[in-house]
Amino acid sequence: MNLKFTSPFFIGIGGSGMSPLAHILLDFGYQVFGSDKSSDSSVLEKLKERKAKIFSTIENLNLSTIDAIIYSTAIDRSTNPIYLKLKEKNLPEFHRSEILHNIFKTKKSIAVAGSHGKTSTTAMIAQILLENGLDPTVMIGGEVSFLGGRGGRWGEGEWGVYESDESDGTFLNSSPEVKIVTNIDNDHLDYYKTFENLKLNFARFIENNENSKSVVCLSDSGVSETMKLIPDKAGILGYSDKNESDSSQVNFSIEKDILHFQKNNTKYQVVLPFKGEHYLKNSLAAILASEIAGVSIEDSINTLKKYLGVKRRLEFIGNTHGIQVFDDYGHHPTEILSVIQSVKQMKGKDSRCVILFQPHRFTRTKELYKEFSLALSESDFVFLLPIYSAGEEEIEGVTSALIFENSLDLRKIYPLTGDLTLDIEILIKFLKKDDILVTLGAGNVRKWGELFLQKKQKEKSSSI
């Protein structure tokens, strides 16, 4: 691995795209430094356990041994005080994508792209490659139990798998052997400006050279529209539920939580521990990509029967008084709808699907507030939090009230204040036995679910 430093400093090291890279460099023997606004997250604790040195402010920051700066698009380099302090030393600077691509160009790699499902699909492939002896290098934008609660590892095997982030266009700067596109939706338009431009960039990603192959979900309308922009479809393997007779397509169907497909004149069935058609579709992409890497379809299917999942992907966090609480990272209308559909498959006849939603970013809320309202209407009840800024400046007139005001049934949605103590009291009064509560969003909404469980459990203890 030819990186021109030995002691890099990650700005925002706790981010989902940064901490896995830090773990890979720690595996490789680098001394890792970093900063993060949060000082107590489990992500940071795992890095500290591995001797990474992490700071929350510029005080006590010793610059003498740091020899490079690593940043992400989320960092505002014009105002971030730690970046500005490090810049005074004239250190070389690298965007996180440069480090990612430098690591994985030393391997045969599988890059997983798409508006939704990247993390789950990457995790499925990583678990398949690991359990079948390929010792892969892995970068997952989430914490997984089979990597000890981390999202990144260096492996000695010839293959690697990583999430390829389309949000800032940097996914076009890589050259993987296998490229997956799970779906293409109208997200990140603050960068791409138009959906057409987003599709053009995905078309560039999908199109192959003589050394690469692509696996794409043709059931998705965004992907099928993007395919029309690609003149040379060599090396592209599609998977679809449209049941067309095309040698470059694998047909599948989903019945009663089982995915059926046929390849090489053999019929297969896939069953996962998690409910939801989106998981099953992602599993087929993982199986097809893993076959290219040398794992048989049968072995991949056997691994996925024991798929362990990813933290914050419909993650069960507790049960009290007969109320189940889950947490999910979903922050786009399509993801919200998938989560609600999965919960509906889980709940009994007396259960309610209750969503506690925290919108993520002012720009996304401005673009998609009507779609958010429509997706959330599929649940039995919604509690709505204020927007989580993710470092963005506020936009005048853009609040979670836009989602509330466009709701199809105002009797089924209730705006919360964002004050944890007050909000939890409302949840305690509302939720009842057999309800399923899902805290939903890419911000800190999980805190509401965890505190609800704590408070409700104390209520139970005090009544004994």
Side-chain angles (χ1 to χ4, degrees), residues 69-299:
I69 304 169
I70 301 174
Y71 65 92
S72 72
T73 306
I75 300 300
D76 184 347
R77 288 181 288 161
S78 66
T79 61
N80 185 282
I82 293 182
Y83 169 80
L84 293 172
K85 179 74 173 175
L86 291 168
K87 188 174 176 61
E88 293 174 1
K89 199 180 175 187
N90 294 317
L91 297 170
E93 301 177 23
F94 303 92
H95 188 273
R96 62 163 294 277
S97 62
E98 295 178 74
I99 307 305
L100 174 72
H101 298 149
N102 264 299
I103 290 169
F104 282 92
K105 75 180 182 182
T106 66
K107 304 286 184 180
K108 291 180 179 178
S109 61
I110 302 169
V112 183
S115 300
H116 321 294
K118 288 188 292 291
T119 302
S120 296
T121 308
T122 307
M124 288 178 184
I125 296 168
Q127 189 173 335
I128 289 169
L129 300 184
L130 272 168
E131 292 192 5
N132 288 279
L134 274 69
D135 193 16
T137 296
V138 176
M139 183 273 161
I140 304 171
E143 300 167 60
V144 291
S145 60
F146 60 85
L147 295 185
R150 294 151 42 183
R153 80 182 294 268
W154 173 264
E156 295 299 333
E158 67 174 344
W159 281 92
V161 60
Y162 64 94
E163 276 189 52
S164 196
D165 182 15
E166 80 280 358
S167 67
D168 56 8
T170 55
F171 73 144
L172 296 177
N173 299 334
S174 62
S175 53
E177 279 69 23
V178 183
K179 298 170 285 185
I180 293 175
V181 176
T182 55
N183 44 59
I184 301 172
D185 213 338
N186 58 341
D187 202 5
H188 305 300
L189 299 188
D190 53 323
Y191 177 80
Y192 290 100
K193 307 308 179 188
T194 67
F195 191 33
E196 290 305 313
N197 191 37
L198 175 65
K199 288 185 285 189
L200 281 168
N201 279 268
F202 265 107
R204 289 174 60 196
F205 178 80
I206 294 169
E207 195 166 18
N208 289 299
N209 59 40
E210 60 184 15
N211 299 314
S212 67
K213 297 179 180 179
S214 297
V215 177
V216 301
C217 182
L218 297 176
S219 300
D220 179 74
S221 59
V223 174
S224 60
E225 290 167 15
T226 299
M227 289 293 289
K228 297 172 185 174
L229 305 173
I230 303 173
D232 182 1
K233 296 179 175 58
I236 300 175
L237 175 62
Y239 57 102
S240 175
D241 58 2
K242 304 293 191 250
N243 200 25
E244 296 175 5
S245 54
D246 184 337
S247 60
S248 63
Q249 179 173 309
V250 174
N251 294 311
F252 72 86
S253 62
I254 297 174
E255 300 169 18
K256 297 181 179 179
D257 301 326
I258 301 173
L259 183 139
H260 304 263
F261 74 98
Q262 182 171 324
K263 191 169 188 291
N264 305 327
N265 297 316
T266 304
K267 293 181 179 179
Y268 300 96
Q269 293 184 353
V270 182
V271 179
L272 298 174
F274 295 84
K275 299 283 187 181
E277 289 194 359
H278 58 299
Y279 282 121
L280 287 166
K281 291 177 184 177
N282 293 342
S283 75
L284 183 51
I287 290 165
L288 296 174
S290 297
E291 186 185 28
I292 297 170
V295 181
S296 72
I297 291 175
E298 292 87 350
D299 286 341

Side-chain angles (χ1 to χ4, degrees), residues 164-452:
S164 196
D165 182 15
E166 80 280 358
S167 67
D168 56 8
T170 55
F171 73 144
L172 296 177
N173 299 334
S174 62
S175 53
E177 279 69 23
V178 183
K179 298 170 285 185
I180 293 175
V181 176
T182 55
N183 44 59
I184 301 172
D185 213 338
N186 58 341
D187 202 5
H188 305 300
L189 299 188
D190 53 323
Y191 177 80
Y192 290 100
K193 307 308 179 188
T194 67
F195 191 33
E196 290 305 313
N197 191 37
L198 175 65
K199 288 185 285 189
L200 281 168
N201 279 268
F202 265 107
R204 289 174 60 196
F205 178 80
I206 294 169
E207 195 166 18
N208 289 299
N209 59 40
E210 60 184 15
N211 299 314
S212 67
K213 297 179 180 179
S214 297
V215 177
V216 301
C217 182
L218 297 176
S219 300
D220 179 74
S221 59
V223 174
S224 60
E225 290 167 15
T226 299
M227 289 293 289
K228 297 172 185 174
L229 305 173
I230 303 173
D232 182 1
K233 296 179 175 58
I236 300 175
L237 175 62
Y239 57 102
S240 175
D241 58 2
K242 304 293 191 250
N243 200 25
E244 296 175 5
S245 54
D246 184 337
S247 60
S248 63
Q249 179 173 309
V250 174
N251 294 311
F252 72 86
S253 62
I254 297 174
E255 300 169 18
K256 297 181 179 179
D257 301 326
I258 301 173
L259 183 139
H260 304 263
F261 74 98
Q262 182 171 324
K263 191 169 188 291
N264 305 327
N265 297 316
T266 304
K267 293 181 179 179
Y268 300 96
Q269 293 184 353
V270 182
V271 179
L272 298 174
F274 295 84
K275 299 283 187 181
E277 289 194 359
H278 58 299
Y279 282 121
L280 287 166
K281 291 177 184 177
N282 293 342
S283 75
L284 183 51
I287 290 165
L288 296 174
S290 297
E291 186 185 28
I292 297 170
V295 181
S296 72
I297 291 175
E298 292 87 350
D299 286 341
S300 290
I301 289 173
N302 285 331
T303 296
L304 291 179
K305 287 177 183 175
K306 310 181 294 289
Y307 172 57
L308 295 169
V310 183
K311 187 174 182 179
R312 299 218 63 212
R313 273 38 174 208
L314 206 52
E315 178 194 359
F316 177 71
I317 59 173
N319 184 332
T320 183
H321 288 69
I323 302 163
Q324 296 184 74
V325 182
F326 293 82
D327 179 53
D328 195 276
Y329 186 76
H331 52 281
H332 184 280
T334 302
E335 296 165 348
I336 291 168
L337 198 55
S338 293
V339 167
I340 292 171
Q341 288 169 347
S342 294
V343 173
K344 283 184 172 179
Q345 289 180 294
M346 295 159 49
K347 73 188 189 84
K349 62 183 179 68
D350 297 322
S351 302
R352 294 181 297 177
C353 170
V354 181
I355 300 296
L356 174 55
F357 178 57
Q358 183 186 57
H360 185 256
R361 296 187 180 275
F362 293 98
T363 50
R364 183 178 286 117
T365 305
K366 181 182 177 183
E367 291 284 345
L368 298 172
Y369 65 88
K370 290 182 180 177
E371 289 86 349
F372 279 127
S373 299
L374 191 62
L376 290 165
S377 71
E378 293 297 313
S379 67
D380 296 313
F381 199 85
V382 177
F383 287 102
L384 185 62
L385 284 168
I387 296 170
Y388 185 88
S389 71
E392 283 189 341
E393 294 293 326
E394 292 186 20
I395 300 174
E396 187 176 353
V398 177
T399 69
S400 57
L402 288 172
I403 298 170
F404 174 78
E405 291 161 1
N406 282 272
S407 296
L408 299 182
D409 187 347
L410 292 177
R411 296 170 299 178
K412 290 172 54 179
I413 186 166
Y414 187 88
L416 295 175
T417 64
D419 182 303
L420 259 172
T421 304
L422 295 175
D423 293 345
I424 296 307
E425 290 304 317
I426 293 169
L427 292 177
I428 287 173
K429 290 176 182 176
F430 179 83
L431 292 165
K432 61 184 183 181
K433 186 176 181 291
D434 296 324
D435 283 347
I436 298 176
L437 172 68
V438 183
T439 55
L440 191 57
N444 62 352
V445 64
R446 183 188 181 99
K447 287 183 178 179
W448 275 254
E450 291 174 337
L451 187 58
F452 166 78

Side-chain angles (χ1 to χ4, degrees), residues 318-321 428 451-464:
N319 184 332
T320 183
H321 288 69
I428 287 173
L451 187 58
F452 166 78
L453 286 167
Q454 291 172 21
K455 294 276 189 181
K456 194 71 176 174
Q457 193 64 44
K458 284 182 181 177
E459 180 183 291
K460 182 177 181 179
S461 300
S462 63
S463 66
I464 294 173

